[in-house]
Amino acid sequence: MDKLKKVLSGQDNNDDGDILQAANHASTLGWGTRMKGFIACFVLGVLCSILGTCLLWIPRVGLILFAVLYTFGNVASLCSTMFLMGPLNQLKRMCARERALATAIMLTCLVLTMCSAFWWKNNGLALLFCILQFLAFAWYGLSYIPFARDAVIKAFSVCLK
């Protein structure tokens, strides 16, 4: 009731960030529930990716099934971390300076994989975008480990010399 009084009297300085934070706090889960949700989503994502890889070799429809299941697996794996840190924190971290490019490339490749599989019906592009999805997702994941990206860059530079 106090909140309603503040809003009606114009004393509440509520902006979109506050609304998102209020929604985030209203949907808090216990630690056990968060872990169960994380494990369920992550396992579902991994199983879909593995199933998609197994179905890759089916004639005619294999590549489309692979693209769809692999993309769904990546989305499920990405959503699994939302259970650990919450949706708002996950979105903030995805858009952080050190992850923004990897996030943009990964999400673009997710969309382009589906477009190439269903709309353009180009198997080569679907496979290319799945590979780019994997690389962008790996680069995105490495951004959470301190100095991991630097180590990968150094390892590749040593191998290429």
Side-chain angles (χ1 to χ4, degrees), residues 40-63:
C41 268
F42 189 76
V43 168
L44 178 68
V46 169
L47 287 176
C48 284
S49 296
I50 290 171
L51 181 62
T53 304
C54 293
L55 296 176
L56 176 63
W57 309 110
I58 295 176
R60 289 192 210 167
V61 296
L63 191 58

Side-chain angles (χ1 to χ4, degrees), residues 37-47 73 76-81 137:
F38 167 74
I39 291 169
C41 268
F42 189 76
V43 168
L44 178 68
V46 169
L47 287 176
S77 295
L78 186 63
C79 288
S80 70
T81 56
F137 196 67

Side-chain angles (χ1 to χ4, degrees), residues 71 74-75 77-79 90 94 99-113 129 132-141 144:
T71 300
N74 277 344
V75 170
S77 295
L78 186 63
C79 288
Q90 173 71 13
M94 285 175 71
R99 292 182 195 96
L101 181 62
T103 300
I105 292 171
M106 181 178 56
L107 294 177
T108 302
C109 287
L110 289 170
V111 171
L112 290 176
T113 299
F129 290 133
L132 292 175
Q133 257 186 70
F134 172 78
L135 294 173
F137 196 67
W139 195 249
Y140 170 80
Y144 284 98

Side-chain angles (χ1 to χ4, degrees), residues 92-124:
K92 283 181 181 178
R93 289 183 181 183
M94 285 175 71
C95 296
R97 185 185 58 80
E98 63 272 4
R99 292 182 195 96
L101 181 62
T103 300
I105 292 171
M106 181 178 56
L107 294 177
T108 302
C109 287
L110 289 170
V111 171
L112 290 176
T113 299
M114 293 307 211
C115 287
S116 62
F118 290 114
W119 191 21
W120 303 324
K121 298 193 186 303
N122 189 331
N123 293 341

Side-chain angles (χ1 to χ4, degrees), residues 3 12-26 88:
K3 180 79 171 165
D12 187 35
N13 296 335
N14 199 3
D15 60 325
D16 290 340
D18 290 340
I19 292 170
L20 290 174
Q21 288 176 351
N24 193 32
H25 289 297
L88 184 62

Side-chain angles (χ1 to χ4, degrees), residues 150-161:
D150 295 334
V152 169
I153 290 171
K154 186 166 184 159
F156 274 105
S157 67
V158 167
C159 289
L160 295 175
K161 284 185 181 181

